[in-house]
Amino acid sequence: MQNPEFVHATFSAIAPRYVTANHILSMGIDIAWRQRVVQLVAEWKPARLLDIATGTGDLALALTRALPEIDILGTDFCQPMLDVAAARGLCNLLQADAMNLPLPDASFDAATVAFGLRNMADYAAAIREFRRILKPGGHLLILDFSLPEGILSSPYRYYLHHILPRIAGWITRRPDAYTYLGDSIEQFPRGKAMCSLIETNGFIEARTEQLSGGIAAIYTATCADEPEPVFTA
């Protein structure tokens, strides 16, 4: 769980170089991850979709291009990131805090959050807010970084904490942003822990799908017909 002021300042500073940095650091693998998201969303056939923490619009653009029939709204609390998204061709954008979305209850069929939940101040409260804006039976999809297990764990952690910040710092001129990245990934719930967090905050049928050996993961869940009791601890 993160400090909102630090997150806002960090992403505002790196917004102009964010897209380039992501593609270089992931060697383009992040594009394949988003295409998998597109496949899953296509199966749900939503009429309205909210892309929360849309940032510079990578996922919203991929969804718009592949599924033009969907009405997609992208929200983010960082205006400089939205300015980049708008310059890339997205027009349906709203500056808003994901923890307190200025949107009606039960107004979307699906919600996606790519690399955004990890940066929020309260994971459980954010998930409950996502549930609020979804219709009963609507779908939630979270795409975020994870940590591989087994033989890949140690070398990946070394890369994450020692190599990636140097490369990213050179690209974005903000190495502190990518030191924070490694720390935030270490703290972020993953696997069964994330599925449990989702299900105790208004969703059912939470599932996880590992990507690229566990470097990233997709979590999907269905909005419960009636709100379930939630635990804030």
Side-chain angles (χ1 to χ4, degrees), residues 44 138-141 198 203-207 219-223:
W44 298 334
H139 297 279
L140 173 68
L141 185 149
I198 293 169
F203 290 86
I204 58 174
E205 300 174 348
R207 296 183 175 89
Y219 301 92
T220 57
T222 303
C223 187

Side-chain angles (χ1 to χ4, degrees), residues 194-219:
M194 176 57 77
C195 288
S196 177
L197 181 66
I198 293 169
E199 289 187 341
T200 55
N201 286 282
F203 290 86
I204 58 174
E205 300 174 348
R207 296 183 175 89
T208 180
E209 177 181 332
Q210 288 194 341
L211 303 170
S212 303
I215 293 172
I218 290 174
Y219 301 92

Side-chain angles (χ1 to χ4, degrees), residues 3-15 77-78 80-81 174 176-177:
N3 180 301
E5 290 77 17
F6 172 79
V7 172
H8 188 279
T10 298
F11 282 93
S12 295
I14 66 175
F77 84 147
C78 183
M81 298 289 274
R174 285 293 301 263
D176 56 319

Side-chain angles (χ1 to χ4, degrees), residues 122-201:
D122 186 326
Y123 306 144
I127 292 169
R128 292 195 295 274
E129 181 68 351
F130 306 161
R131 189 232 173 273
R132 181 187 68 78
I133 57 88
L134 282 171
K135 297 176 182 178
H139 297 279
L140 173 68
L141 185 149
I142 298 166
L143 167 63
D144 219 309
F145 291 114
S146 187
L147 290 169
E149 298 179 355
I151 194 170
L152 291 176
S153 178
S154 292
Y156 181 72
R157 277 187 161 99
Y158 184 85
Y159 167 77
L160 188 63
H161 292 288
H162 298 284
I163 298 175
L164 184 148
R166 294 182 182 182
I167 300 172
W170 177 75
I171 297 170
T172 65
R173 301 173 192 168
R174 285 293 301 263
D176 56 319
Y178 289 87
T179 301
Y180 152 81
L181 173 66
D183 293 340
S184 70
I185 293 171
E186 293 279 4
Q187 299 166 11
F188 196 56
R190 55 187 182 273
K192 292 181 180 179
M194 176 57 77
C195 288
S196 177
L197 181 66
I198 293 169
E199 289 187 341
T200 55
N201 286 282

Side-chain angles (χ1 to χ4, degrees), residues 5-70:
E5 290 77 17
F6 172 79
V7 172
H8 188 279
T10 298
F11 282 93
S12 295
I14 66 175
R17 304 177 184 88
Y18 185 75
V19 176
T20 300
N22 282 355
H23 294 333
I24 290 174
L25 293 168
S26 72
M27 295 179 288
I29 297 173
D30 63 310
I31 297 172
W33 297 341
R34 291 184 181 88
Q35 287 305 310
R36 177 57 182 151
V37 172
V38 169
Q39 292 173 352
L40 292 169
V41 170
E43 294 174 6
W44 298 334
K45 297 180 172 61
R48 298 193 72 206
L49 180 145
L50 183 66
D51 187 40
I52 302 164
T54 197
T56 54
D58 275 333
L59 182 56
L61 282 167
L63 289 165
T64 298
R65 290 164 180 165
L67 306 168
E69 69 278 9
I70 300 177

